[in-house]
Every structure is written in structure tokens, then in C-alpha cells.
């Protein structure tokens, strides 16, 4: 099959062996895969990853290998289902899996990120336990956002948010825009710092106040989300948090950055809470997509054939570009909305 | 009157004018005052403070100046009462006072720390609103711990703690020992890293496991409290937090430190929550002292006459020394328990 491969800071489309499903795993034929900031960081050396990236996907189950949990009938029931998938594969036996979930297992594999080929391919192998069926009403172009939207939905799991909350999202790009939409859907008053015209348009339509740079935001917010992935962005975000407020950090990046923005004595004096936030609830994300609360499709910048993977990554790396998708079924043309 | 004065990195006992109470303020005759880590940091230049330090005290109200809130009868009722006092004086008019409390008012004065002389003196002026009457059953030697014990009680206000919580306190000195005792009183399983033999004895008696250095603690704690005030201590504390666990930072210090221990990408990947924690509830602290849940008196290293203030600070600065007290009524001998 064809698959993108990341190696030595480069990405390209290569012929690769078909994935082999282990017991309890499914083979999913990929319909669409999304490029996120972390994928771009892989090219910069994040996690030293070599292999096929891709942890945002929607596809169709082609094959399931039975195990003691997924018996014959259950396995057959998955065939042909349109699915999205959670990306962490834990051992399910250790204390961390029990206490903090498979996303924090010390032995975890992570789809397209750690020890496991990802979804920027014609097909991918993934545990059935990670799959979620996509509701009929949710298009492929929406469903491919389930993973980053779930990550945005992690914030209200960690921080109490209501209509009295004044929230600011710094770095409303691919992920930050979804964070702002989720906070808005929870009733918060939301401001967002967005460089991209398209992000500003999407956010304004959802009732989010938008500005082009953090210094234009009035400090003193109850909740600030940093989705910039930069040291300067984190420092700017920190300055917007009111005493006893909360700073949520969403970005991961290859280079160490921004610890100096989290000056411990200042955190104590202002009693700031800093919350690291990663993967989130798929069920909640699919609910928001199915009931129309959030329509992420305007974020799509372009859809590229898998064979044009390098071009797709180059497009995604452009400042202000929102979501770039890959389609294994796509023809060779780049389709831009 | 006599009072300690901090200036240019030195501290000494000087003759000073009597404090003048403004409307709504009391004059408190100091019985005992405590030296804490922040006082030592003042000598290192923290907050550029010049004046009389001291924010831990117990004393007796000598005089009250009436205002619209504290009328004649209320004012007279305070005279002769044995009191401790909260240290933050906010404007009580701004948004921050309303939302985050007077401790976070941008215009705040803080007893012996910001814009206001403190309690290492024969008498101090302080708003009546800041005072708490000390219950009969609580001795002066216990009551002088109300302020740092309240700071320790801030932790369970910020973080959920129960009998399933595995907590580690790194840096169980003056403040850290109180933090460990409070967490233990809340039912947590508590381990503490303590250099001082006396701290280890006190903690062991309260059912806290004690070790002498952080690498001896098994990582994976639900809650880690850093009370070390050092970059290395914070870094060691960070490493002990389990994924999705909480790191509480209690120490403030003059020099910037340890931001590098709070590497943002690692906070995100492990979904760590970092909580800055400062002043806490006096009512709760007095309750713990009154009902005998916590007896802080074994922490007292020595009590010094005010005129020996420089010696007292030197004693407090010794590694492993716990609480050093000052007594304006004291004779010239140093009394060591």
C-alpha cells in the first residue's frame, strides 16, 4: 500500500507493506487523515519518530482479528463500520493505565507518534477498543476532526467552565480554534488571538471576540488556553491570567521552550494553576459534531492526495493555514475549498 | 518602641516611632513573632523590602480606632483580646479583591512584606478586619503558627485530598512540615523529604513516612508539595508527580528559579497540574490548633529577645532549623527548647 513516511526531518509517500492486525485489532481503510501541529513537530524531531504519521482519521473497518474480548459476532459487527479512533494504546495492566488511563501508560504506543504507524496511509492497524462508530449524520470531513475536537473537549473535563467564565485562547489555529469553539459551546465568554483570517471568521461567527495579537487582550482572564506552541506565545498567555486563574497548555513541541514563562515564585504569589492538557473524550466530540453544535469543516484549508503528502505538509506548515487533509482515494489534484 | 528593621540585606533591632492606627485599625502588642523562609528572603532582596518584617504573630489588642464598620462597642470589644492576624490588606473596592480576595489586590499592602511594617516589634498597626481571636485553649506558642498553618491549609482548599491520596512533601522544613501534618490530618498517605532531625521526629510521630532526600521517594505520587524554595528541590518534586497528578508550589524566593523544571511540553504530555499556593484560611488553622489535631510547638527551635533579632535571623538561616521566634517581652537570654 501507499503510506507517508517521516524520516530524518523529511516526509514522503512510499510503498509500504500492508499493516497486520494483531488479535483484538482492526484494519481500517482510511478515508481522510488530518495533519496537526504535532505531525509538523515530528519533522522537527519530536519523539525521534520514524514511520508513518497520522493520528487524526476517519475510515471504514475492513477486517478484525478476534481475541477473547472481541469474539466472532462482535468482530463481524465492526466490518464495514465508519469509524474514528483514539490514539493511545496502553498495556491495560499497569497502575498508570488504571489510575491515569492508557494515554499515560509508560509502555504505551501512540498512533503515528510512538512505536506505531499512523493513519496517513491507505490502511492502518488499530485496536478495536480504540474505535468509535461515526454517527450517520456526521460527514467524513467532520469526523476527521474527532481527535483534535476531543482534545479540545479535554479542557472542560479539567477546568470548571460556566457562563461566568472569561476565557482567552492564545494561538487560535488548528487546535486553538476548536478549543475556543468548545469553550464557547460551554457558555464561556471567549476571546481568541488568531492570525488566520479564516480562523477569525469562523470564531466571530460563533460569538468569539477575535484579536490579532495577545497584547490587544485585556489581562485578567479566568482561564487562558495556550495553543501557540511557542515560548513567546506561552509567555503572553501567562500574562493574561488573573490571580487565582488557570492557564491550560495544549501544545507539544520538539524543542524545549518557555519554562521561563512559568516562573515558580510568580505562580505562587498569584496562585496560578497551570494545567497540562492532552487527549480527550471522543464520545463528547462526536456528540458535538452530530448535534451540529460545532461544524469544523470551515477549518479545512485543502485536501491532498496521499501521493502529494510532502506538498500537504508544506501547506500545513504555512503560517495561518488551518486544517490540511490527506485522502488516499484522492486524485492527484489539490482540492482547496 | 523597639523593632527589627531590614535594610540593605541586614537586620537589626532599632528604636522606632510607635505605630499609628488608621480608622478601622488596631494596635496589637506583640507577644511572639515567627521567622519564616520569606523573611530570610527579604534579606536576600525579595520584594526590595525596607522596614520592619514579621507576618507571623500573636499579640493582644491595645487600641482600636473606630470607623464606619468598627463602631464604638465593636471597637471596645476588641481591647484586651488575644489575636492573630491575616497579612493581606486589599483596597476592598477593585475587581480583584472581589474575585480573588484581598491577597491578590494589585494595590495590596502585606504585613511586613509590602508597604507595611510587620510584627517583629513591640507593637504593630493592623486592620481589625484582619484579626482573629485566639481560642482560650490555644497557647501563644501554638497561636504564633496560625499564619503558616493557614498557608498549609490552603492546599486542601485547592486540591481534593482524601484517604486514597498518596502525597509527598519535598522540603519539610518550617512550612513543609506543617503542610505534611495538614495533609495527614486530611487522611492522605503522606511521605516527606526532611533534612532536619526534629522535623523527621515530628512527622514520624504523626504517621508520616520520612526520608532524607527526594531520590529515595518512589515516583508516581498523586500530589507533591514543593516547599524547598530551591530550583533543585522543585525539579526533584516535579519528577515525583504521576501523570495526571498535581504539583503544589508553596515557596517564594528572591531569585528567579526553576522555571526550567516546569517544561511545558512535559506538563502537557503527562497532563500535570501545577498549583501556586500562598495564604490560607485562619479559621481552619485555629480550629486545628484548638482541637489538638496539630500541635506545632515541637517545631520551635528557639525564642529570642527582640534585641537579639540579628542572632535570631542567623539561627533561622541555619540549614535544618525549624521555627525561630522573637519575644519583645523576652529577656536577653536565648531560650532553646
Amino acid at each position: 500500500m501507499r503510506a507517508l513516511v517521516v524520516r530524518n526531518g523529511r516526509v514522503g509517500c512510499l510503498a509500504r507493506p500492508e499493516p497486520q492486525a494483531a488479535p483484538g485489532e482492526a484494519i481500517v481503510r482510511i478515508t481522510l487523515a488530518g495533519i496537526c501541529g504535532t505531525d509538523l513537530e515530528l519533522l522537527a524531531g519530536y519523539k525521534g519518530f520514524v514511520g508513518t504519521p497520522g493520528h487524526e482519521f476517519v475510515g471504514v473497518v475492513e477486517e478484525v482479528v478476534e481475541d477473547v474480548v472481541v469474539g466472532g459476532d462482535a468482530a463481524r459487527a465492526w466490518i464495514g463500520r465508519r469509524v474514528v479512533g483514539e490514539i493511545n494504546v496502553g498495556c491495560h495492566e499497569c497502575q498508570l493505565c488504571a489510575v491515569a488511563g492508557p494515554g499515560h501508560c509508560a509502555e504505551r504506543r501512540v498512533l503515528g507518534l510512538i512505536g506505531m504507524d499512523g493513519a496517513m496511509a491507505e490502511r492502518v492497524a488499530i485496536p478495536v477498543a480504540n474505535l468509535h462508530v461515526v454517527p450517520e449524520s456526521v460527514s467524513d470531513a467532520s469526523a476527521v476532526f474527532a481527535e483534535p475536537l476531543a482534545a479540545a473537549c479535554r479542557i472542560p473535563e479539567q477546568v470548571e467552565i460556566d457562563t461566568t467564565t472569561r476565557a482567552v485562547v492564545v494561538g487560535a489555529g488548528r487546535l486553538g480554534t476548536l478549543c475556543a469553539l468548545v469553550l464557547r459551546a460551554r457558555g464561556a465568554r471567549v476571546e481568541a488571538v488568531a492570525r488566520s483570517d479564516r480562523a477569525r471568521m469562523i470564531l466571530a461567527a460563533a460569538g468569539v471576540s477575535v484579536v490579532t495579537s495577545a497584547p490587544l487582550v485585556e489581562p485578567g482572564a479566568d482561564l487562558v488556553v495556550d495553543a501557540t506552541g511557542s515560548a513567546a506565545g506561552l509567555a503572553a498567555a501567562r500574562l493574561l491570567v488573573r490571580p487565582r486563574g488557570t492557564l491550560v497548555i495544549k501544545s507539544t513541541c520538539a524543542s524545549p521552550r518557555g519554562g521561563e514563562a512559568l516562573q515558580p515564585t510568580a505562580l505562587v504569589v498569584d496562585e496560578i494553576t497551570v494545567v497540562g492538557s492532552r487527549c480527550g473524550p471522543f464520545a463528547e466530540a462526536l456528540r458535538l459534531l452530530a448535534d451540529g453544535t460545532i461544524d469544523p469543516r470551515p477549518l479545512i484549508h485543502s485536501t491532498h492526495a496521499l501521493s502529494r503528502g510532502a506538498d500537504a505538509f508544506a501547506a500545513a506548515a504555512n503560517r495561518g493555514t488551518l486544517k490540511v487533509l490527506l485522502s488516499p482515494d484522492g486524485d492527484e489534484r489539490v482540492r482547496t475549498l
Side-chain angles (χ1 to χ4, degrees), chain A:
Chain A
M1 69 169 185
R2 290 168 305 152
L4 298 197
V5 174
V6 166
R7 189 184 296 144
N8 296 332
R10 301 185 62 173
V11 63
C13 186
L14 301 178
R16 297 282 288 164
E18 287 290 336
Q20 302 299 313
E25 289 190 347
I27 298 295
V28 176
R29 177 171 50 78
I30 300 299
T31 315
L32 287 172
I35 300 177
C36 95
T38 308
D39 297 315
L40 297 172
E41 289 295 320
L42 293 180
L43 288 184
Y46 184 59
K47 293 191 183 291
F49 181 80
V50 174
T52 295
H55 54 277
E56 303 177 358
F57 72 90
V58 56
V60 176
V61 177
E62 286 198 333
E63 177 191 336
V64 172
V65 178
E66 296 178 33
D67 70 358
V68 289
V69 178
V70 184
D73 285 351
R76 277 185 292 278
W78 279 103
I79 307 294
R81 305 299 291 269
R82 200 159 57 102
V83 295
V84 292
E86 302 197 37
I87 71 175
N88 295 285
V89 182
C91 73
H92 293 287
E93 287 174 5
C94 70
Q95 176 73 358
L96 276 174
C97 276
V99 171
H104 294 285
C105 176
E107 305 298 323
R108 70 183 176 274
R109 299 181 298 146
V110 185
L111 190 71
L113 288 169
I114 302 174
M116 188 176 174
D117 279 329
M120 294 183 190
E122 291 186 80
R123 272 171 292 277
V124 70
I126 183 171
V128 169
N130 285 43
L131 298 179
H132 293 258
V133 172
V134 178
E136 284 281 344
S137 63
V138 178
S139 68
D140 286 341
S142 283
V144 73
F145 287 89
E147 198 280 335
L149 185 57
C153 290
R154 176 72 180 137
I155 301 173
E157 284 191 336
Q158 297 174 290
V159 183
E160 207 167 310
I161 291 155
D162 61 30
T163 55
T164 69
T165 306
R166 184 186 158 221
V168 178
V169 176
V170 182
R174 277 173 276 267
L175 178 57
T177 298
L178 296 174
C179 293
L181 294 175
V182 164
L183 296 175
R184 187 76 195 96
R186 288 288 178 133
R189 289 173 293 138
V190 185
E191 294 152 73
V193 180
R195 283 213 193 97
S196 142
D197 288 338
R198 188 177 293 206
R200 283 202 293 277
M201 190 188 70
I202 294 165
L203 290 165
V208 173
S209 307
V210 283
V211 296
T212 52
S213 85
L216 298 175
V217 178
E218 184 77 21
D222 302 310
L223 168 65
V224 178
V225 176
D226 166 53
T228 64
S230 78
L234 180 63
R238 164 67 184 87
L239 292 178
L240 297 177
V241 186
R242 70 160 167 84
R244 294 198 173 177
T246 301
L247 173 64
V248 171
I249 311 181
K250 285 299 308 183
S251 302
T252 50
C253 42
S255 50
R257 60 131 187 166
E260 64 277 8
L262 305 178
Q263 217 285 311
T265 292
L267 296 181
V268 172
V269 170
D270 289 341
E271 294 199 311
I272 303 295
T273 295
V274 180
V275 177
S277 179
R278 211 175 88 209
C279 301
F282 269 60
E284 172 70 2
L286 288 171
R287 192 187 66 71
L288 291 171
L289 294 174
D291 70 11
T293 303
I294 291 178
D295 180 358
R297 290 172 294 183
L299 274 80
I300 300 171
H301 172 271
S302 52
T303 303
H304 302 246
L306 203 55
S307 56
R308 295 287 181 86
D311 296 345
F313 268 71
N318 278 333
R319 200 172 252 206
T321 296
L322 297 178
K323 188 58 70 182
V324 173
L325 300 179
L326 292 156
S327 166
D329 290 331
D331 58 31
E332 297 304 300
R333 282 181 304 110
V334 171
R335 291 172 296 176
T336 301
L337 287 184

